[in-house]
């Protein structure tokens, strides 16, 4: 597995691209109404399955080609 290059890193923080194998984590986060109500404009719609999570990760990758703008995983 090749780890994505972080766009920012400190001793306690890493900001990096999402990895496709993190689809279960993405699904967990984006299926929680108490979380997603803060993430988008408009009516929040919970994520329903892993396929939807994978599509979102791919879309994030496409929209994050030119850092620092983008959608990033934060550790």
């Amino acid at each position: 597995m090749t780890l994505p290059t972080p766009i920012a890193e400190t001793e306690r923080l890493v900001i990096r691209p999402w990895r496709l194998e993190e689809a279960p984590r993405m699904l967990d986060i984006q299926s929680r109404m108490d979380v997603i109500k803060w993430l988008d404009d408009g009516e929040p719609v919970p994520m329903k399955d892993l396929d939807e999570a994978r599509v979102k990760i791919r879309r994030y990758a496409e929209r994050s080609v030119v850092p620092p703008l983008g959608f990033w995983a934060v550790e």
Side-chain angles (χ1 to χ4, degrees):
M1 168 179 67
T2 303
L3 296 177
T5 303
I7 67 157
E9 189 170 3
T10 70
E11 186 177 308
R12 296 176 23 189
L13 174 73
V14 177
I15 300 173
R16 61 165 177 77
W18 280 89
R19 297 184 297 258
L20 202 52
E21 60 268 16
E22 294 176 305
R25 179 175 291 162
M26 171 73 73
L27 176 59
D28 179 50
I29 292 168
Q30 301 241 350
S31 64
R32 297 172 184 236
M33 190 60 92
D34 60 325
V35 173
I36 63 170
K37 69 182 179 182
W38 304 106
L39 297 179
D40 285 329
D41 294 332
E43 188 68 30
V45 178
M47 192 173 280
K48 293 174 183 52
D49 58 41
L50 285 173
D51 288 336
E52 193 175 342
R54 289 182 194 103
V55 166
K56 183 158 270 199
I57 290 171
R58 287 185 186 104
R59 191 173 326 126
Y60 280 2
E62 291 169 3
R63 294 179 178 175
S64 304
V65 174
V66 182
L69 300 177
F71 297 90
W72 308 108
V74 178
E75 296 179 17

